[in-house]
Amino acid sequence: IRSLFESEAKPWIQLLKPIWLSSPFQLASSFPMETELFDCCIFDEATQIPLSNALGAIQRSKRIVVAGDEHQMGPTSYFKAGGGEVTDLLHQASFAWKSKTLTYHYRSQHTDLIRFSNKHFYQDKLKVFPAKNAPQALTYSFVQGGQFIDRKNIKEATFIANLVSKQ
């Protein structure tokens, strides 16, 4: 793709394929480092993108849209040699670019699944669109005689395993 973009085929490629879906790594390895190569670059789940990985795409784009949730855990190098914190794109973008809070939550089909987070992280501002005629999301069961010993609760674990097996 890089060779084609550096040839006389570039305007035809841009005409025939105006939208590209790519990871920042694929973009960096496939497209020439050319400013304003793209009209708009949209980063989704930006808390999962280290800032250093996004810079090449930002350089190649006229406009940037950064979408993400500041309450989600960002990328981590905890298991890599050296460890340390990684600055994510959403966190860095929040310093310089204006933001818009979205209040619609479409992933949970039940308000029960997002209720705790909605209350404690989003000040009950999320609007959830429950699925019609969906089965109950959460159930509560008391397990008689369950005890937490040595970081285990054998009775509760057995109860849950049996429920899962029946499903």
Side-chain angles (χ1 to χ4, degrees):
I1 293 174
R2 183 184 299 272
S3 298
L4 289 172
F5 260 84
E6 292 172 343
S7 74
E8 63 278 357
K10 177 182 175 181
W12 291 103
I13 294 170
Q14 290 176 312
L15 178 69
L16 297 171
K17 190 163 171 120
I19 298 173
W20 295 82
L21 298 176
S22 176
S23 70
F25 175 77
Q26 290 170 322
L27 189 133
S29 62
S30 300
F31 293 93
M33 179 56 91
E34 179 182 321
T35 59
E36 300 189 355
L37 184 62
F38 301 107
D39 290 325
C40 183
C41 180
I42 301 171
F43 293 96
D44 192 18
E45 300 289 348
T47 55
Q48 303 305 310
I49 303 172
L51 177 61
S52 58
N53 291 12
L55 292 176
I58 292 169
Q59 173 69 23
R60 291 172 172 93
S61 302
K62 293 178 187 175
R63 293 172 293 175
I64 308 295
V65 175
V66 178
D69 185 343
E70 64 188 12
H71 299 298
Q72 289 184 356
M73 187 173 131
T76 180
S77 59
Y78 180 78
F79 296 105
K80 294 180 182 174
E85 285 295 314
V86 177
T87 301
D88 67 82
L89 175 59
L90 183 68
H91 177 78
Q92 196 63 36
S94 70
F95 289 115
W97 296 333
K98 60 183 174 180
S99 65
K100 172 81 174 142
T101 300
L102 302 179
T103 57
Y104 296 98
H105 179 76
Y106 59 90
R107 289 188 177 157
S108 298
Q109 296 183 0
H110 293 278
T111 54
D112 291 346
L113 297 176
I114 195 68
R115 182 173 284 131
F116 179 87
S117 294
N118 195 9
K119 179 179 180 182
H120 296 283
F121 296 103
Y122 303 100
Q123 294 74 46
D124 283 323
K125 292 181 181 175
L126 292 181
K127 295 172 186 79
V128 180
F129 300 98
K132 186 178 178 182
N133 301 326
Q136 187 174 351
L138 300 173
T139 59
Y140 301 94
S141 301
F142 178 75
V143 178
Q144 188 72 34
Q147 292 183 336
F148 191 70
I149 301 170
D150 294 327
R151 301 185 52 87
K152 298 176 189 149
N153 189 327
I154 301 299
K155 284 203 176 207
E156 284 185 7
T158 303
F159 179 81
I160 296 297
N162 288 334
L163 283 177
V164 170
S165 293
K166 289 176 187 175
Q167 295 289 325

